[in-house]
Amino acid sequence: KLFDVNIYLYAFQQKSEFHVASKKYLESVINSDISYGYSDFILSSFLRIVTNSKIFNPAASISDALSFCNSI
């Protein structure tokens, strides 16, 4: 599995209507025997989007966003 940036955005953003389902799905894959990968390009997109105050108000701190990435 290689996830799209949207699954990370939804799993991270608690205000998203897809947050609970996305987070649950992402965690179930990470904690299973299913092989998955991630792309530095997709993670950099995630970081650029969630820390941008023009997109999210308030924007995530870089620390919180990096912590999320490290958990993947």
Side-chain angles (χ1 to χ4, degrees):
K1 294 228 178 258
L2 184 61
F3 296 107
D4 179 81
V5 69
N6 290 305
I7 192 78
Y8 298 129
L9 293 171
Y10 297 144
F12 182 78
Q13 287 294 330
Q14 294 179 353
K15 293 181 182 179
S16 168
E17 65 183 284
F18 305 111
H19 171 71
V20 172
S22 298
K23 184 175 180 183
K24 186 176 180 179
Y25 177 67
L26 186 59
E27 288 175 343
S28 73
V29 171
I30 290 171
N31 295 320
S32 74
D33 292 334
I34 298 172
S35 295
Y36 74 96
Y38 58 87
S39 160
D40 289 341
F41 178 73
I42 291 176
L43 291 180
S44 67
S45 296
F46 165 81
L47 290 171
R48 217 176 57 248
I49 292 168
V50 299
T51 60
N52 185 331
S53 62
K54 293 180 182 178
I55 298 172
F56 290 106
N57 187 12
S61 69
I62 191 70
S63 175
D64 288 345
L66 285 171
S67 179
F68 178 84
C69 289
N70 287 331
S71 72
I72 298 168

